[in-house]
Amino acid sequence: MSIFRDDVLRGKVALVTGGGSGICKGIALTLASHGAHVAVMGRKLEPLQATVAEVEAAGGQGLAVAGDVRRPEEVEAAVARVVEKFGALDILLNGAAGNFLCPAAQLSPNGFKTVIDIDLAGTFNMSRAAFSHLQARGGSILNISATLHYGGTPMQGHVAAAKAGIDALTKNLAVEWGPLGIRTNAIAPGPIDGTEGMSRLAPGEMRDALIAATPLKRFGRIEEIAWAAVYLCSPAAAYVNGATLVVDGGRWLNNMPLPG
Ligand code: HXC
């Protein structure tokens, strides 16, 4: 997963929500390969345990914690378990997300609310629960956003609204918690290969169209998001606070793709 091993995160403790699959699994493994102890949280224990097994096989220390980011009591318990095992919490990666394609006119109120609850309220619930621990040693929060809401994206109104809220929360926490020693940033990934999201959301022709519209002419790779996460969580980004780093091959800037 990682092109290099380093100890830039040695001694740090990270908690990655959604770390059982996709981009967030890649981030968890890469944080671990850079020296962090990594806990992963999600609704299903089995994929989390698989991530931890990979961390441990590579010589790192990991922890799988089952919990739903929508349930504040499960969130509190998960954070407490991480601190109990590793003695601290330095990095919170908010990656748990729900997604499906649905035109707004057909989306039920509960369908809309469900994605807002997972993505946006989940990010708040986790950040709130982690706050005192992050403050104790000077930590950082990294939220996974998207580029959907930079324009309008059909069938993604629920996700776009949730991610726009995450961007707002990122800036707000950066301002409120920066003075307390907590940096808050976000990554906005473009289309990334090898994720459940992309295989379900952008099959066939849609994939080709996305690639055509991307200046770098390909999907991104999970490790390319993970390296951005290592940077933002590391001392190399010590003065970066409230930023959203777009990692999308320049796709969202491309108003009019060149022919060919
Ligand atoms: C319309 C749907 C739906 C669908 C669920 N709902 N799937 N509506 N189309 N395909 C509605 C349900 O009908 C219900 O509303 C409400 O949503 C809750 O559904 P449940 O299945 O009861 O909820 P839950 O079990 O909590 O599951 C929520 C879920 C989740 C969002 C569907 O299972 C999920 O997200 N799975 C995929 C996870 C995933 O792919 N994550 C990666 C995200 S990628 P009613 O009214 O019937 O009660 C990503 C990248 C963004 O975020 C950028 C992309 C470019």
Side-chain angles (χ1 to χ4, degrees), residues 21 23 43-44 68 70 95-103 106-115 118-119 144-148 153 156 158-159 163 189-192 195-198 200-202 210 251:
S21 66
I23 288 174
R43 278 187 289 173
K44 295 184 203 132
D68 189 328
R70 291 172 285 189
N99 202 342
F100 48 79
L101 296 174
C102 189
Q106 279 141 47
L107 182 60
S108 73
N110 191 40
F112 185 86
K113 179 177 182 301
T114 296
V115 171
I118 298 170
D119 293 27
I144 302 300
S145 184
T147 61
L148 301 166
T153 307
Q156 289 279 271
H158 42 312
V159 182
K163 297 297 191 182
I192 303 299
T195 61
E196 189 201 330
M198 270 307 119
R200 225 168 11 86
L201 303 175
L210 277 170
R251 197 201 61 78

Side-chain angles (χ1 to χ4, degrees), residues 44-56:
K44 295 184 203 132
L45 200 51
E46 209 172 76
L48 302 173
Q49 287 168 332
T51 302
V52 170
E54 285 189 50
V55 167
E56 291 176 347

Side-chain angles (χ1 to χ4, degrees), residues 179-259:
L180 305 174
I182 302 171
R183 296 184 300 110
T184 305
N185 293 294
I187 294 175
I192 303 299
D193 258 331
T195 61
E196 189 201 330
M198 270 307 119
S199 56
R200 225 168 11 86
L201 303 175
E205 278 175 23
M206 203 184 291
R207 178 189 167 88
D208 296 342
L210 277 170
I211 289 173
T214 301
L216 295 186
K217 297 299 171 199
R218 63 174 176 84
F219 270 28
R221 302 196 305 268
I222 287 175
E223 59 264 36
E224 291 169 332
I225 303 302
W227 295 329
V230 170
Y231 164 64
L232 286 168
C233 295
S234 79
Y239 202 52
V240 181
N241 185 33
T244 294
L245 179 58
V246 179
V247 185
D248 77 338
R251 197 201 61 78
W252 86 270
L253 296 166
N254 201 4
N255 287 329
M256 191 172 294
L258 293 167

